[in-house]
């Protein structure tokens, strides 16, 4: 595939699985989601697991995986309760900072591009993760979470990305979403007319930077998607 012609403009970064290795917390996250959902609705683990599978929420990393937070919101659950539960049970110490993106890589993106962090995680957990990883939030011009900087009642990344694009007056053709899951992080941007890159590990972000700068070809550490690939 030819290199994307993205001249500056807007890059939207996912957090979980993109800036750090999701494998570090996948078991913890899934158990946390299972516990909360089953307790909230009084369901068994088997019943909850069946519902999760129907909505593409898995106990393993998959390109088809969708956001549990988005599913919870659309199901009519109390997101304030979910955020409080997640804050209490999300253990940032499980994240291996040695495998995460380095601060200077995000600095380099920020010097050239308009950068925004977009995550379905909570604002409190974002701050905790960034402190643990020793990454500065100043690397982003804006931050949008499921409970911060999002103007609508029900969170989903399609409307979040649309809001970010409108707020920054960014043309769709000059917008890029970088994440680790196609369905959650890339498909919404493609529907809006932008571009997407799926990274297979946080270390791939340095290669992505070089790729966008025109100094390195696309490689096996990330996949590039343009609207016409829908």
């Amino acid at each position: 595939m030819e290199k994307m012609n993205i001249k500056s403009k807007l890059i939207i970064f996912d957090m979980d699985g993109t800036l750090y290795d999701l494998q570090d917390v996948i078991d913890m996250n899934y158990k946390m989601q299972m516990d909360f959902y089953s307790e909230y609705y009084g369901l068994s683990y088997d019943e909850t697991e069946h519902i999760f599978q129907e909505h593409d929420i898995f106990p393993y990393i998959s390109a088809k995986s969708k956001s549990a937070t988005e599913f919870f919101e659309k199901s009519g659950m109390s997101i304030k309760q979910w955020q409080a539960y997640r804050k209490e049970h999300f253990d940032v110490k499980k994240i291996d900072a040695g495998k995460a993106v380095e601060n200077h890589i995000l600095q380099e993106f920020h010097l050239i591009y308009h950068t925004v962090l977009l995550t379905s995680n909570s604002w409190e957990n974002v701050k905790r993760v960034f402190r643990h990883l020793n990454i500065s939030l100043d690397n982003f011009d804006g931050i949008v979470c499921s409970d911060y900087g999002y103007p609508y009642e029900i969170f989903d990344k399609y409307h979040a990305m649309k809001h970010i694009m409108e707020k920054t007056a960014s043309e769709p053709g000059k917008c890029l979403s970088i994440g680790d899951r196609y369905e959650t992080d890339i498909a919404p941007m493609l529907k809006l007319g932008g571009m997407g890159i799926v990274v297979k590990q946080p270390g791939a972000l340095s290669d992505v930077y070089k790729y966008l700068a025109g100094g390195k070809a696309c490689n096996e550490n990330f996949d590039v998607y343009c609207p016409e690939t829908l």
Side-chain angles (χ1 to χ4, degrees):
M1 177 181 292
E2 295 181 0
K3 294 187 186 300
M4 289 187 296
N5 182 25
I6 180 165
K7 297 180 180 178
S8 182
K9 309 331 173 213
L10 175 68
I11 297 184
I12 298 176
F13 286 89
D14 171 54
M15 182 179 77
D16 304 297
T18 302
L19 304 186
Y20 70 86
D21 193 340
L22 192 62
Q23 196 66 57
D24 294 341
V25 300
I26 192 71
D27 292 338
M28 175 190 69
N29 263 337
Y30 190 75
K31 182 180 186 304
M32 182 171 58
Q33 293 158 359
M34 287 278 290
D35 287 346
F36 181 77
Y37 193 89
S38 59
E39 289 173 16
Y40 192 93
Y41 285 115
L43 300 173
S44 69
Y45 253 47
D46 286 343
E47 290 172 317
T48 299
E49 188 171 36
H50 178 70
I51 292 170
F52 277 18
Q53 288 177 347
E54 286 185 329
H55 291 87
D56 297 326
I57 301 169
F58 308 117
Y60 51 84
I61 296 174
S62 169
K64 297 180 180 179
S65 293
K66 294 182 179 177
S67 166
T69 296
E70 290 189 25
F71 168 62
F72 290 170
E73 289 222 40
K74 292 174 181 176
S75 300
M77 301 177 74
S78 169
I79 294 306
K80 287 186 178 180
Q81 285 183 240
W82 165 234
Q83 301 293 17
Y85 189 91
R86 179 161 57 175
K87 179 182 177 182
E88 181 181 354
H89 294 86
F90 188 89
D91 185 4
V92 295
K93 293 180 181 178
K94 289 187 177 294
I95 300 173
D96 183 351
K99 295 187 294 181
V101 64
E102 296 180 69
N103 187 69
H104 76 90
I105 298 297
L106 294 178
Q107 283 181 325
E108 290 176 10
F109 275 103
H110 189 222
L111 285 172
I112 298 177
Y113 305 103
H114 188 78
T115 57
V116 175
L117 180 71
L118 171 61
T119 174
S120 60
N121 213 320
S122 68
W123 174 227
E124 286 302 318
N125 278 348
V126 167
K127 290 186 286 186
R128 292 169 65 209
V129 168
F130 272 68
R131 282 195 298 267
H132 176 70
L133 298 179
N134 196 27
I135 296 174
S136 174
L137 287 168
D138 290 337
N139 292 318
F140 301 97
D141 299 298
I143 298 167
V144 177
C145 308
S146 57
D147 62 349
Y148 178 85
Y150 183 74
Y152 309 115
E153 185 176 351
I154 298 177
F155 181 86
D156 69 71
K157 282 203 170 181
Y158 174 84
H159 287 96
M161 289 179 185
K162 185 176 181 181
H163 168 68
I164 292 167
M165 291 164 68
E166 290 172 351
K167 191 173 181 180
T168 58
S170 300
E171 299 175 22
K174 294 181 180 179
C175 295
L176 169 68
S177 176
I178 300 178
D180 66 304
R181 293 180 294 179
Y182 176 84
E183 289 296 333
T184 300
D185 305 319
I186 308 306
M189 178 58 82
L190 296 181
K191 290 178 183 177
L192 289 164
M195 297 165 281
I197 291 180
V198 173
V199 293
K200 299 176 183 178
Q201 57 184 12
L205 285 172
S206 60
D207 288 340
V208 170
Y209 177 82
K210 294 172 185 175
Y211 167 76
L212 294 176
K216 191 166 185 177
C218 187
N219 63 37
E220 68 277 1
N221 290 326
F222 62 92
D223 296 318
V224 181
Y225 296 89
C226 295
E228 63 268 19
T229 62
L230 271 172

